[in-house]
Amino acid sequence: EDFKGLGKEKQYQVFELPTDVLQSKTVYHLLKDEDPTRLVKSTDTALVLCDEELLLPVLMSLPDGVEEVNITMGYPMKNTPVFSFLDSLLRLHYHGRKNAGGSASFYHKDVNDILQHPYFWKMQGGGSVELSRLIISENMHMIDRKLFKGELEQMIFRPLDNAASLLEYLRKIFMHLLELIAGRENRHEDVLDREFCFQLLKQVNKFERLSEERSDISYQLMERLLRRSLQNLRIPFEGEPLSGMQIMG
């Protein structure tokens, strides 16, 4: 059947919406009024985003009836929750201090930022609420590593010696996160989280090869190189144009 959509009469609606959140919520209200059977396939629906930063709010606002979504746009890594978690981990070690005997202590604000991060909650199966309360109630400034008892806590809150140990540290944490997300239901946000983790791990692998070739690269330089690389990275989403709802920039 020939495509004759361009010759049909068009209907336009204009909404005056002052915030990005309201734009995302309006998408939800427009789509939820559609016929549910039509909403499942959504092959005749496209969302064109003028601002790429609307991608995550829009995905979180889609009705439950939308089963398949195809994204055709680039998205900056620096705006993802994966980069936010990475940044918290890097700041944890930037402000951390090595103690006598090979132990370490960490700045209380950096510790709480990680304990309260959504990814830590996903990996932990809930946050370390009691530990956060203890840090606040005791007015702790630097938190000794001995305070962290759980397996995940000991994986995160440990000293690092060099560039190679930093990359191994990040690879283990984000591989653990990726394996956890891969075993969950195929929700839109889980699909995105998997792609974000995968792209970050690709960069970590690239820098691990560099570290093997250039063992003289310091921890501080490797941290700056990795951060700069990820800040400039755009994640290329490529959708299937003949299936599902299309989201494009």
Side-chain angles (χ1 to χ4, degrees):
E1 184 179 352
D2 295 335
F3 177 70
K4 300 180 180 179
L6 294 177
K8 294 181 180 179
E9 183 179 353
K10 309 295 189 302
Q11 291 185 350
Y12 299 94
Q13 289 180 281
V14 179
F15 301 90
E16 186 176 352
L17 303 167
T19 68
D20 293 347
V21 173
L22 284 177
Q23 292 182 51
S24 303
K25 297 302 180 185
T26 301
V27 168
Y28 168 80
H29 288 295
L30 291 173
L31 292 175
K32 76 178 181 64
D33 294 332
E34 293 284 336
D35 180 358
T37 57
R38 185 181 174 188
L39 194 60
V40 170
K41 293 185 177 180
S42 302
T43 53
D44 59 351
T45 303
L47 299 177
V48 182
L49 307 181
C50 297
D51 183 355
E52 61 192 7
E53 294 189 15
L54 282 173
L55 176 61
L56 294 184
V58 164
L59 285 173
M60 302 303 174
S61 301
L62 292 178
D64 293 335
V66 180
E67 293 186 354
E68 189 172 357
V69 173
N70 286 297
I71 304 169
T72 308
M73 61 184 295
Y75 192 75
M77 172 64 86
K78 65 182 180 181
N79 292 342
T80 67
V82 163
F83 185 83
S84 167
F85 191 47
L86 171 82
D87 184 61
S88 295
L89 294 171
L90 294 179
R91 282 189 287 106
L92 175 78
H93 289 279
Y94 180 80
H95 296 133
R97 297 290 181 266
K98 289 185 178 180
N99 304 329
S103 186
S105 57
F106 302 98
Y107 183 50
H108 69 98
K109 186 179 184 302
D110 298 330
V111 171
N112 273 322
D113 284 346
I114 290 175
L115 296 181
Q116 296 170 13
H117 197 283
Y119 280 165
F120 183 86
W121 281 64
K122 286 183 180 182
M123 291 189 288
Q124 182 85 335
S128 298
V129 178
E130 293 184 2
L131 180 55
S132 294
R133 288 175 178 170
L134 177 64
I135 293 172
I136 295 173
S137 64
E138 297 292 331
N139 197 26
M140 296 181 180
H141 182 68
M142 299 298 291
I143 317 301
D144 194 280
R145 182 173 183 254
K146 296 177 182 178
L147 194 64
F148 304 105
K149 304 298 184 182
E151 181 178 353
L152 176 62
E153 293 172 359
Q154 292 185 354
M155 180 193 300
I156 293 176
F157 300 101
R158 62 183 179 89
L160 302 177
D161 299 320
N162 49 41
S165 66
L166 168 65
L167 296 170
E168 179 190 18
Y169 169 81
L170 295 175
R171 178 169 49 80
K172 284 185 177 180
I173 291 174
F174 284 99
M175 276 298 300
H176 181 68
L177 176 60
L178 182 60
E179 291 169 359
L180 178 68
I181 297 172
R184 297 179 56 178
E185 296 180 5
N186 193 27
R187 298 179 299 181
H188 302 316
E189 57 265 36
D190 290 335
V191 172
L192 281 182
D193 283 339
R194 286 200 293 271
E195 184 64 25
F196 295 153
C197 283
F198 177 71
Q199 293 294 335
L200 185 144
L201 286 168
K202 281 179 62 177
Q203 296 298 309
V204 170
N205 289 339
K206 180 177 72 175
F207 281 103
E208 281 188 318
R209 291 193 295 271
L210 174 63
S211 178
E212 291 173 359
E213 297 171 1
R214 294 287 306 272
S215 58
D216 59 323
I217 296 179
S218 67
Y219 175 98
Q220 292 78 11
L221 177 57
M222 183 62 74
E223 178 189 346
R224 290 197 296 271
L225 290 173
L226 179 62
R227 188 190 293 273
R228 180 64 61 85
S229 174
L230 292 170
Q231 284 175 333
N232 294 330
L233 179 66
R234 293 183 64 82
I235 301 172
F237 291 107
E238 295 181 359
E240 167 55 55
L242 300 179
S243 175
M245 179 181 295
Q246 307 297 314
I247 299 181
M248 57 191 73

